[in-house]
Amino acid sequence: MDIAGSNEKNAAFDLDPEHAMILDNADRFARSELYPLAARMDNEEWWPDEAFPKIGDAGLFGITIPEAYGGTGLDLFAAGLVLQGFARWNHAMALAWVAHDNLCANNIYRNGNEDQRRRYVPDLCSGRKIGALGLTEPGAGSDALGSMRTTARRDGDDYVLNGSKIYITNGPVADVLLVYAKTDREKGAHGISAFIVEKGMPGFKVAQKLNKMGYRGSQTGELLFEECRVPAENLVGGENRGVAVVMSGLDLERAMISPICLGVAERALELSIDYAKTRRQFGKPIGSFQMVQSMIADMYVQVETIRTFTYRVLSSAAPLEIGGGGRGDIHMLTAASVMYAAEASHKVLDLAVQVHGGTGYIWESEINRLFRSTKLLEIGAGTTEVRKMIIAGELLKGMER
């Protein structure tokens, strides 16, 4: 049974022909070009330099960016489908893709001026340049804005950045980074600005590449800024306007995490069905045993509910205007979507390893690689606990404290 290729026709949220074709194209490309890279990426924390240009040549970057800037001019729903297709076959590359395409390129397009768009967005859409977002710091995780210590001071035609960022996806290989720093300490979180930093700018370096439990091969690092000089023309959205830049992309980011969970869960279900059909014990396939059937059924229900919730939220977030995120129903809905998708995919993979038995416990097996991916998305892009705070905060607005 080909779960990855057939489920959309029967999903509660039916894809129209255009969206079905987008998902199919992404799935075919990922199976052909990205899946063969997955094992080595996991084993060695290896980065395939040729992958991003191939993705760009296939027209699978810049999904939400107009054609005039090198993109494809589609919407967030289409971008989510590309991400879903990639995550089925190489979830580490899918994570690198979303950090590049959504967190960096789309943010620069949405918030940058025309000069910044022209200088940076086309190369990001072609995959000739790799993008990243620099927000989290060693002492600032869930309170990324309030606890930020990286600073930027104006010095003539430049801003001078000092500080560090950690757990930055694509950080060790990025050419273009959207970096946040405090320009006015007195204003706290409202004194933060966003800057486009390029690899090679004086004072910027990768302090270390981090070795991870899962999503191995998706490069993650610590970045260091020591008197890093960034041209003032690379200030994005105006001085002390960084919070607006962050919030404008926050709900889009959360909406785009769920498709990774969906793709991984789909692949795990497909592998488990195949294994249950072919693995024999006591003279018959283990899929004939009711307890294995129960696990398969539970996995299927989880996958379908992840899919329905993911598609609903992508549809709701797609028309979100610039600056329209970070509040209200969409803020609650995106937090709920990624919270549910991350927890449900974790449950799916736990059952998948159980179905695979000893095979699933072996590091080199594909199902083990998928299992090791599950915890990150309960932590990254806002922890499960923070997501619950957002949901409850919106539902309980107006309550006396």
Side-chain angles (χ1 to χ4, degrees):
M1 180 178 181
D2 185 0
I3 296 295
S6 67
N7 264 7
E8 276 62 47
K9 294 178 182 177
N10 300 314
F13 189 110
D14 291 328
L15 297 178
D16 62 34
E18 180 183 7
H19 281 133
M21 182 177 67
I22 291 167
L23 177 58
D24 185 61
N25 286 342
D27 178 273
R28 290 174 185 272
F29 175 87
R31 182 186 293 201
S32 171
E33 301 293 338
L34 304 182
Y35 185 58
L37 309 174
R40 184 181 172 190
M41 288 177 70
D42 186 66
N43 290 335
E44 303 174 18
E45 274 277 13
W46 168 69
W47 176 255
D49 292 324
E50 73 280 4
F52 264 39
K54 283 185 177 180
I55 295 171
D57 289 344
L60 293 170
F61 277 138
I63 306 301
T64 56
I65 294 170
E67 294 181 18
Y69 299 95
T72 59
L74 299 174
D75 63 7
L76 192 77
F77 196 105
L81 294 174
V82 171
L83 187 56
Q84 177 189 347
F86 278 20
R88 290 169 174 172
W89 301 105
N90 189 327
H91 56 274
M93 189 59 69
L95 186 67
W97 182 95
V98 76
H100 167 93
D101 202 67
N102 180 257
L103 301 187
C104 183
N106 190 53
N107 258 333
I108 291 175
Y109 170 73
R110 286 170 64 89
N111 297 286
N113 58 37
E114 189 61 21
D115 173 64
Q116 291 164 346
R117 289 175 173 180
R118 294 293 177 187
R119 281 191 290 135
Y120 293 107
V121 174
D123 282 344
L124 293 169
C125 288
S126 71
R128 267 58 189 176
K129 294 287 179 68
I130 299 173
L133 177 77
L135 178 62
T136 301
E137 298 184 2
S142 296
D143 186 20
L145 299 177
S147 301
M148 186 177 295
R149 294 185 178 180
T150 299
T151 61
R153 70 177 191 274
R154 185 68 184 258
D155 183 20
D157 292 332
D158 296 330
Y159 281 88
V160 180
L161 274 62
N162 283 284
S164 63
K165 303 291 180 179
I166 201 164
Y167 309 131
I168 305 304
T169 303
N170 294 350
V173 294
D175 302 291
V176 177
L177 304 98
L178 187 61
V179 177
Y180 295 89
K182 280 194 174 177
T183 41
D184 189 337
R185 294 184 181 183
E186 299 299 318
K187 293 184 178 180
H190 294 285
I192 292 171
S193 301
F195 300 90
I196 300 173
V197 177
E198 295 182 47
K199 182 176 69 176
M201 283 182 171
F204 167 62
K205 67 178 182 180
V206 177
Q208 61 172 322
K209 174 184 165 182
L210 300 172
N211 193 24
K212 308 184 301 298
M213 177 177 79
Y215 288 89
R216 293 168 53 80
S218 168
Q219 303 294 286
T220 307
E222 181 181 8
L223 311 179
L224 193 61
F225 304 89
E226 295 178 322
E227 293 292 294
C228 175
R229 302 193 74 87
V230 179
E233 64 190 16
N234 281 24
L235 174 68
V236 177
E239 191 169 290
N240 299 330
R241 295 287 299 160
V243 170
V245 178
V246 171
M247 300 311 288
S248 73
L250 185 62
D251 289 318
L252 303 184
E253 175 189 356
R254 289 201 181 105
M256 287 291 285
I257 295 297
S258 298
I260 301 180
C261 301
L262 174 56
V264 169
E266 285 181 312
R267 179 62 178 157
L269 176 57
E270 181 176 26
L271 288 169
S272 298
I273 292 171
D274 289 344
Y275 191 81
K277 287 180 175 179
T278 56
R279 171 68 167 169
R280 299 182 67 87
Q281 290 292 287
F282 305 103
K284 53 187 175 181
I286 63 171
S288 65
F289 302 129
Q290 287 184 343
M291 282 187 284
V292 173
Q293 293 173 6
S294 175
M295 289 187 282
I296 296 289
D298 285 342
M299 291 169 67
Y300 171 78
V301 172
Q302 296 278 8
V303 169
E304 288 304 316
T305 49
I306 297 171
R307 186 194 322 281
T308 302
F309 206 170
T310 296
Y311 287 178
R312 180 197 168 188
V313 173
L314 285 171
S315 296
S316 297
L320 196 65
E321 78 280 5
I322 294 175
R327 61 183 186 275
D329 287 347
I330 190 65
H331 194 44
M332 176 173 58
L333 194 59
T334 56
S337 171
V338 69
M339 179 187 124
Y340 179 79
E343 291 185 335
S345 66
H346 193 156
K347 293 175 183 176
V348 168
L349 265 299
D350 186 62
L351 290 171
V353 171
Q354 194 71 18
V355 169
H356 281 76
T359 300
Y361 200 67
I362 302 302
W363 182 277
E364 290 82 6
S365 68
E366 183 176 357
I367 206 69
N368 187 276
R369 182 164 73 238
L370 295 174
F371 178 78
R372 285 184 278 110
S373 77
T374 58
K375 196 62 189 175
L376 174 64
L377 298 184
E378 294 178 295
I379 299 170
T383 63
T384 295
E385 291 72 26
V386 169
R387 293 161 192 167
K388 288 181 178 180
M389 289 169 60
I390 291 169
I391 296 164
E394 291 294 333
L395 292 173
L396 298 173
K397 270 185 177 177
M399 179 184 69
E400 291 185 10
R401 295 180 182 273

